[in-house]
Amino acid sequence: MKLIFATGNLNKIKEVAQILGDDSRFEIVPMSQIGVKEDIPETSPTIEGNALQKARYLYDRYKVNCIAEDTGLEIDGLGGAPGVYSARYAGEEKNAEANIQLVLKNLAEKDDRTARFRTVIALIINEKEQTFEGIIEGKIDTKKSGNGGFGYDPIFIPDGYNQSFGEMDEAIKNQISHRSLALKKLMDFLNNYPSNN
Ligand code: ITT
């Protein structure tokens, strides 16, 4: 079964493909392969709302079974920011380096560096909507480390580890991450989905 992925973020497509492996009965197809190139609007005040907004955008226009996901980094010492505004924290150009530098600057004087990544995947299949959430707890380091991953990975250290997501082997990130937890819930749902539907 094909599911069109409503994202323009190639890192997400790569991670999801790695997490799913080759023997899944579901094929996640980037929206670019059906000719969708635009940046889908994300104007909801919640992560779940944005995931649904992106999936509905594709479903309403193309009538395809699809998924979308939205992720936010919630930092307790910043009152939950950047949260739903993670991509644009330092400005509309969505620059990962500028976002990281602004987080480090705003946290410099704070004691509480606990944080979490929260991902919500929205699925629309045969006109029905479902959402699946994955959360990983951790903390924000005082400096960047590692060149792996993307976005805020070089400053996020998951609980139980002493390496940032940016330093970690990508296979380990993909076993424990917010995205893989949400994706596993999605797969459990789809694996029980009637095949005559
Ligand atoms: P879409 O096309 O799917 O919307 P996007 O890059 O705009 O892609 P989000 O709105 O979900 O994605 O972006 C949230 C922000 O969080 C953005 O700055 C990402 O770089 C960052 N982010 C998302 N997943 C991440 C991960 O696994 N590790 C580190 N940072 C991540």
Side-chain angles (χ1 to χ4, degrees):
M1 180 191 290
K2 280 192 180 173
L3 294 169
I4 311 298
F5 193 177
T7 184
N9 185 327
L10 297 177
N11 294 297
K12 289 184 180 178
I13 292 169
K14 191 176 132 213
E15 279 195 7
V16 166
Q18 277 169 355
I19 294 165
L20 280 185
D22 293 334
D23 45 358
S24 169
R25 85 176 155 102
F26 300 100
E27 190 190 346
I28 308 286
V29 179
M31 66 181 191
S32 58
Q33 279 191 25
I34 60 163
V36 186
K37 299 213 171 62
E38 62 263 34
D39 197 10
I40 302 179
E42 300 175 55
T43 52
S44 166
T46 66
I47 290 171
E48 183 180 30
N50 274 341
L52 282 166
Q53 185 179 9
K54 288 187 264 189
R56 284 174 189 153
Y57 181 97
L58 218 54
Y59 195 83
D60 290 348
R61 285 165 182 74
Y62 301 93
K63 297 287 174 248
V64 286
N65 293 333
C66 60
I67 59 167
E69 70 104 275
D70 199 49
T71 295
L73 175 63
E74 300 171 348
I75 303 174
D76 294 330
L78 301 179
V84 71
Y85 304 108
S86 293
R88 297 173 171 79
Y89 189 47
E92 277 307 310
E93 58 286 351
K94 292 186 171 186
N95 182 293
E97 178 62 26
N99 288 339
I100 285 179
Q101 293 309 327
L102 188 57
V103 164
L104 292 178
K105 178 168 160 256
N106 290 345
L107 266 185
E109 308 292 313
K110 311 268 185 195
D111 294 328
D112 184 0
R113 304 184 75 93
T114 54
R116 69 204 54 75
F117 275 116
R118 183 189 304 276
T119 288
V120 174
I121 296 179
L123 166 74
I124 306 182
I125 187 165
N126 301 328
E127 301 197 351
K128 296 223 175 54
E129 296 178 346
Q130 293 275 338
T131 58
F132 307 89
E133 187 178 64
I135 295 174
I136 181 151
E137 299 283 343
K139 64 173 188 291
I140 304 299
D141 203 352
T142 51
K143 54 173 183 6
K144 285 170 59 180
S145 33
N147 301 313
F150 67 101
Y152 295 93
D153 280 342
I155 56 169
F156 182 83
I157 302 181
D159 283 353
Y161 293 81
N162 48 25
Q163 285 184 314
S164 75
F165 266 167
E167 288 176 287
M168 210 172 254
D169 191 298
E170 65 186 23
I172 299 178
K173 178 189 174 191
N174 287 338
Q175 266 166 33
I176 63 172
S177 77
H178 44 301
R179 183 162 297 105
S180 77
L181 293 169
L183 204 58
K184 278 175 196 145
K185 291 183 187 171
L186 168 72
M187 288 303 135
D188 283 348
F189 175 85
L190 289 174
N191 285 329
N192 290 309
Y193 196 78
S195 49
N196 57 353
N197 238 305

